Amino acid sequence: MKGDPMNPTTPMPATHSPATLYILLDAVRCWAAARRRRRPAMAQLHLRLRRYGCEQLSPALDSLLRLGEQVTGHGLRTGRGPRLSEDENLLIDLLQARWTGPVPYACSDAIACAFCYAVRSTQILLAQALEGRRGAASLSIRDANPRHC
């Protein structure tokens, strides 16, 4: 057997840079706005992440957010501007491996387990797509338009 999924060999992510957190938050809010407007959320997410050169995160982030809604039993709640919602804070804490307690869930154990794997997959992809390209022009937040979605 190649590796234990509960004890991965990939190191846990370090604290993400402010630019990475901004990109993540921008993408999450775009996804949530698309869902509220009954637009194709993954397509909107892909377009938003393409601005930063990390559209490959779209499927993983879409899956994580959809599973997150099933886990919490409600639609993703977002904040405005610099003010973060509880859901956004939880997501950031999970992705930075800062969450110390169990995640309360209102779903089956199988969905909760899938959510845990989605968190880990997204951590790895964030590290590969964003943190590895810290100095790249694609990480610029100057072109972000929060009213786009």
Side-chain angles (χ1 to χ4, degrees):
M1 182 164 125
K2 188 177 180 183
D4 177 6
M6 299 311 285
N7 194 5
T9 57
T10 306
M12 292 302 288
T15 301
H16 295 293
S17 70
T20 299
L21 294 178
Y22 179 87
I23 291 167
L24 177 65
L25 185 60
D26 186 40
V28 166
R29 288 181 177 179
C30 178
W31 183 90
R35 296 267 292 183
R36 283 192 300 275
R37 293 182 181 126
R38 299 196 186 325
R39 287 182 156 169
M42 182 144 147
Q44 294 291 310
L45 181 61
H46 182 83
L47 288 172
R48 179 56 58 99
L49 289 171
R50 188 169 64 186
R51 291 179 177 182
Y52 306 111
C54 55
E55 61 271 18
Q56 71 273 21
L57 290 172
S58 301
L61 195 53
D62 178 66
S63 178
L64 174 67
L65 297 173
R66 286 178 189 274
L67 285 166
E69 288 185 334
Q70 291 180 336
V71 166
T72 61
H74 64 262
L76 177 67
R77 297 176 184 142
T78 58
R80 289 184 175 227
R83 181 174 267 166
L84 301 180
S85 70
E86 285 183 38
D87 289 348
E88 290 169 334
N89 275 314
L90 174 62
L91 181 64
I92 289 169
D93 285 346
L94 287 169
L95 290 174
Q96 290 189 336
R98 292 187 308 193
W99 185 259
T100 57
V103 174
Y105 60 95
C107 61
S108 70
D109 289 343
I111 296 293
C113 184
F115 177 73
C116 290
Y117 281 106
V119 167
R120 187 64 181 128
S121 295
T122 305
Q123 287 172 335
I124 292 166
L125 289 172
L126 273 172
Q128 290 174 348
L130 297 173
E131 295 298 319
R133 299 169 60 193
R134 221 173 249 216
S138 62
L139 279 182
S140 172
I141 61 175
R142 288 186 305 256
D143 299 324
N145 179 359
R147 294 175 299 226
H148 175 72
C149 283

